[in-house]
Amino acid sequence: MKREIIMFGSQVLRKPCLPVKEVDDDIRALVGDLFDSMRAAEGVGLAAPQIGVLKRVCIIDVSHQQPEYPPVALINPVLTDYKGEQVGEEGCLSFPDLYGDVKRHAWVEVEATDINGQSFKTAGEGFYARALQHEINHLDGKLFIDLISPLKRQLMRGALKRLKKEGEAWDHENA
Ligand code: NI
């Protein structure tokens, strides 16, 4: 089911998420909702806090950009290795139409649990590596905006202010 994506400004996006203890039907439904919501918004990744669930679950689908990496759901993902450096443009569904250059590891390896409760590893480079780092950051309340240059953030100031009102309104309605 498609869920509302929460905008920058909501406190939900700043809270650390709790580990998933057991992969049950609720978690599988959450993963389904993440895919439905991400696809409706034409995104390449989404994390549970972005739909208001403070659990360590995220999904990535960069298959349009890099067909070698199929869509993936990551439960309790942990960065286990990394190499090199890349700088590239990044956006986020909680920041519609805002983009900025972010420095990331060029290659990463991540260990996670899948929707059947099995542990697995995934590794990759380029945009996929960037998406993995971006989504794992979400689970710790970290946003890409924290990593862009102060000058760029200054240029986005007006847009961020408007977005922040939307996020704060969501908190108010869902308090
Ligand atoms: Ni994001």
Side-chain angles (χ1 to χ4, degrees):
M1 187 182 71
K2 189 187 116 177
R3 310 256 294 257
E4 183 188 356
I5 294 175
I6 301 167
M7 295 298 127
F8 170 70
S10 166
Q11 286 307 308
V12 171
L13 298 180
R14 287 303 190 180
K15 290 184 178 153
C17 296
L18 291 171
V20 172
K21 284 187 186 145
E22 193 194 344
V23 180
D24 55 14
D25 286 344
D26 287 348
I27 295 297
R28 282 184 280 272
L30 169 62
V31 167
D33 285 356
L34 285 169
F35 273 110
D36 291 345
S37 308
M38 178 189 73
R39 287 184 173 140
E42 298 182 349
V44 293
L46 194 63
Q50 292 178 279
I51 58 169
V53 178
L54 291 173
K55 290 183 179 160
R56 302 190 77 81
V57 179
C58 60
I59 59 158
I60 290 167
D61 184 359
V62 296
S63 58
H64 286 286
Q65 292 83 352
Q66 290 172 291
E68 65 271 34
Y69 301 112
V72 66
L74 303 133
I75 299 164
N76 299 333
V78 177
L79 191 71
T80 46
D81 200 5
Y82 56 85
K83 270 181 224 147
E85 222 176 76
Q86 59 168 320
V87 176
E89 195 172 67
E90 212 165 301
C92 178
L93 290 177
S94 294
F95 296 78
D97 303 319
L98 291 178
Y99 302 91
D101 279 350
V102 179
K103 193 202 278 183
R104 298 281 190 187
H105 303 304
W107 173 94
V108 296
E109 179 191 72
V110 170
E111 199 172 330
T113 301
D114 69 15
I115 55 165
N116 299 310
Q118 302 294 312
S119 165
F120 72 103
K121 273 185 179 175
T122 181
E125 59 185 5
F127 195 60
Y128 182 60
R130 172 173 298 284
L132 283 166
Q133 293 165 83
H134 178 114
E135 298 310 330
I136 292 174
N137 275 174
H138 269 297
L139 306 181
D140 294 312
K142 279 186 213 155
L143 302 171
F144 88 105
I145 202 83
D146 306 335
L147 303 171
I148 66 172
S149 76
L151 175 65
K152 180 75 185 183
R153 206 161 43 228
Q154 184 70 17
L155 291 171
M156 286 181 180
R157 210 170 48 147
L160 287 175
K161 227 176 173 175
R162 285 191 293 278
L163 257 187
K164 203 161 169 248
K165 281 193 186 136
E166 270 190 64
E168 286 169 352
W170 191 91
D171 283 353
H172 188 71
E173 282 159 29
N174 293 277

